[in-house]
Structures are given as structure tokens and as C-alpha cells.
Amino acid sequence: LGTLSVPLLWSYGRATGLGEGGAWLMATLPMAVYPSVLSAGDAPALFFVLLGATIAVHSPTGSRAAAWQLLGSLLALASAAVKPIALPALVLLLPRPVAAIGALVMSPLILRYLDPLLNPIEGSGLLGSWWRGSHGQPPEDWMSWLSEGSQSLLEQPLWTCSWLVVLAGLGSLIGETREARTDPWTRWGGAAALIAALATACLFGDKLQARYLAPAMVASLPWV
């Protein structure tokens, strides 16, 4: 499924006008390949997000467009049932407004999988709380939490190429493809991927592992 995700990203890039370069990067970058060598459900979860996003961006014109985009949203959200680690990649739905808004509307369907974020258990492991950078509970000092998370993201090992998510954010600001100039929903996808990576880094702080950044990294690649 990790291998099959590459042509999905290729098709996604063509449909959004962002190009196929992101798929070539996914096939070669160590951190994009990393989920596929783990026996932990990371690659299947990411596959569901990419499948849903690709269906959404290929939605036909006319009355059926909304239905296709909502189907894409539902498939992407289904990744949480496999493993919630891929949820940052939901930013790939952004180029299609109905799909993006649909994912927000249908998000209550996956709340049961978000207990470690919404109802964290202090002193527990990763299955009990995702707030690893603030001792298992939401931080009291949010600015310090954000600063430490940013530092954790920037201090990732060189092989992870985590700086590419920053490049994707810059691409959202200065990108010059026709679609980027005329379609703000597509333009800001790279910035959304950067925010997703930063949020992940903030949640885990100095306990951040490269595998946790992989979904946001893969989602950023079309804009890179």
C-alpha cells in the first residue's frame, strides 16, 4: 500500500495542477519511504488518506461533484480506524472546498479514535495521550510549547529532510502555477501542511520521532 500510494500522489498532482514532482519525491525521500518499512499500519493509514484525496480532486463537474468529494472525505477519515497517525495528511483535501468542509462536518465519526488528544490521560503512554511534549496534558504556557515544538521540528536529523515542509509553506506564498494564482484553496495547501507538521512537532516535543512527521511530509510534497 505504501508503493501504491505513489501513483495516487502522482494522479493527485496532475488533477490539482501542482505537477507530478511530489510523487517522484515520495518514491525516493527516506522519510516518505519510511512508513512502508514499518509493520505498524502507518502505510495503510496514509494510503486511505491519499485514496480519498485523489478521489476528491478527480470529482466530476456538475451535480455529482459534491457527492464525489464527500466520498473522498469519508475515505480519508477512515484512515483513523487504521491508525490516526495519518490524520495530518488530511490537508490534501484542501484544494476541493466541499471535501475539506465535509471532513470537518464528518469529523465526529472519528472522535473515538482521538481520545489521546481530546481526553488525555496524564502519566500514560502514547495510547493514552498524544501531548508528549507537555507531560501528557495540554500545556499551561502555550507560547513556550509552540517554541519548543518549532525547535524540535528544525532539529530533526538531516536524512528526514523535514525542512521540505517549510519549503512547501513558502511555495504557497510564492508559487506561480496557474492554479495557485487563481485558486486560493489550492494555493494554501502547502502552508496547511507546514502547520500540520508544526502541530505534530509541538504535540511530541523532544519525544518527536521521524515517523510521526511522515504524513505531513508526504502531504507537503506536491507543493514542494
Side-chain angles (χ1 to χ4, degrees):
L1 290 177
T3 302
L4 291 175
S5 294
V6 176
L8 285 177
L9 195 66
W10 183 88
S11 181
Y12 177 93
R14 285 181 61 88
T16 55
L18 293 167
E20 302 86 2
W24 290 104
L25 289 172
M26 185 180 180
T28 55
L29 284 174
M31 195 158 71
V33 176
Y34 194 19
S36 298
V37 300
L38 298 170
S39 299
D42 297 46
L46 187 55
F47 172 83
F48 271 99
V49 177
L50 286 167
L51 178 61
T54 302
I55 289 175
V57 296
H58 280 284
S59 57
T61 57
S63 59
R64 294 184 300 168
W68 275 93
Q69 292 183 39
L70 290 175
L71 173 62
S73 299
L74 188 61
L75 282 171
L77 287 173
S79 67
V82 180
K83 196 169 188 179
I85 194 172
L87 290 178
L90 289 176
V91 299
L92 289 168
L93 296 172
L94 197 58
R96 296 296 181 266
V98 173
I101 295 171
L104 289 176
V105 172
M106 292 188 287
S107 59
L109 296 174
I110 63 169
L111 287 182
R112 58 177 293 193
Y113 302 105
L114 303 182
D115 271 351
L117 177 68
L118 303 177
N119 300 299
I121 302 173
E122 189 172 3
S124 65
L126 186 59
L127 295 179
S129 174
W130 294 342
W131 299 88
R132 312 312 301 164
S134 51
H135 309 290
Q137 289 291 325
E140 296 180 359
D141 184 352
W142 288 89
M143 291 305 296
S144 176
W145 179 76
L146 180 60
S147 175
E148 292 174 4
S150 301
Q151 183 176 355
S152 180
L153 178 62
L154 294 174
E155 290 180 349
Q156 285 300 294
L158 186 60
W159 70 265
T160 66
C161 297
S162 58
W163 54 271
L164 286 176
V165 296
V166 179
L167 190 60
L170 290 175
S172 289
L173 297 175
I174 62 177
E176 288 300 325
T177 64
R178 182 181 71 254
E179 288 77 5
R181 288 198 301 271
T182 60
D183 180 6
W185 287 83
T186 297
R187 170 181 280 279
W188 297 114
L194 173 58
I195 292 171
L198 180 58
T200 303
C202 288
L203 280 172
F204 289 93
D206 59 3
K207 296 178 176 61
L208 180 67
Q209 297 181 26
R211 62 185 289 192
Y212 303 146
L213 284 174
M217 161 69 83
V218 169
S220 77
L221 294 180
W223 285 269
V224 173

